[in-house]
Amino acid sequence: MPTVRTWRAVLGVCVLGVGLAAVPATAHAQTPVLCSERALVAAITAANAVGGDTLALTPGCTYTLTSAHGGGPDGPVGLPPVTAPITLLGLGNTIARDPGAPPFRILQVEGASNVPDTHGQLSMAGVTIRGGSAVTPYPGGGIANLGGTLSLVASSVTGNTAVAGGGIYTDNGAVSLTTSSVTGNSATVSGGGIYVNSGGVTTLVSTISGNTPDNCAPSGSVPGCG
């Protein structure tokens, strides 16, 4: 399985606080984020610029993304790619792509293993990621972890689509799921729930089920995933 950057050529040929060990030591005091797409985009941009932050989402808010706010060689992304240690603290929050918006994945984490001079670490608690649709031939419909660290606590990734890794795609990175779920995602090739190109995924009291055409790929890449 090639990296995200070689998918085009390949296809041409064929709760809060529980387990939040990934909260960055450099995090600032919590920054509240108003309930709007613009506010969330601005907050992540600012957090990247200052080397990391903890963003407190408005309780119960659904952040609906109407356009991509990031892109480049890995395809369009709804929110600015995470290049620093960032924590999203939610309480019944959803970050979703507007069904009428053009295709894009919701989140992207960039680490030095894949993208030089970046230190992307994303921790989420109490957040649902929904409706992402990565543009073919790019993988990772909900979240693409490209050499960074991704930690989900009491969170959900659902209803996302991509060529591979409909829910989550990870390459050269680390992913951990704690009391979280990856369900109802789909891929046109494999890894409807999670696709592991390289790196590792760990789970604790979490569910990966109901994804098509399979839950995890390659087979055996995610311990306990059928």
Side-chain angles (χ1 to χ4, degrees):
M1 178 72 180
T3 67
V4 61
R5 301 181 193 279
T6 61
W7 262 98
R8 186 183 302 276
V10 171
L11 291 187
V13 174
C14 358
V15 130
L16 291 183
V18 178
L20 277 178
V23 173
T26 57
H28 300 75
Q30 293 182 15
T31 298
V33 182
L34 296 177
C35 186
S36 74
E37 175 182 14
R38 177 179 296 181
L40 183 56
V41 169
I44 293 176
T45 300
N48 282 329
V50 299
D53 201 354
T54 298
L55 306 180
L57 306 183
T58 301
C61 171
T62 294
Y63 293 87
T64 302
L65 308 180
T66 59
S67 63
H69 297 276
D74 303 313
V77 189
L79 293 170
V82 173
T83 59
I86 292 177
T87 298
L88 298 180
L89 293 181
L91 185 61
N93 290 102
T94 297
I95 302 175
R97 172 181 153 272
D98 189 306
F104 53 78
R105 74 170 57 92
I106 303 296
L107 282 162
Q108 182 169 306
V109 185
E110 297 183 349
S113 298
N114 284 18
V115 184
D117 301 321
T118 58
H119 305 280
Q121 300 175 31
L122 176 61
S123 301
M124 295 195 307
V127 179
T128 294
I129 301 300
R130 187 181 69 211
S133 180
V135 174
T136 302
Y138 305 108
I143 307 172
N145 179 35
L146 309 181
T149 301
L150 173 65
S151 174
L152 273 63
V153 176
S155 294
S156 175
V157 179
T158 185
N160 304 281
T161 64
V163 62
I168 298 172
Y169 173 86
T170 186
D171 177 41
N172 261 343
V175 176
S176 66
L177 306 177
T178 304
T179 58
S180 295
S181 64
V182 180
T183 59
N185 304 283
S186 63
T188 55
V189 176
S190 61
I194 300 175
Y195 194 103
V196 181
N197 189 55
S198 62
V201 177
T202 60
T203 64
L204 178 64
V205 197
S206 294
T207 301
I208 308 171
S209 65
N211 304 285
T212 57
D214 47 17
N215 288 311
C216 303
S219 178
S221 60
V222 180
C225 182

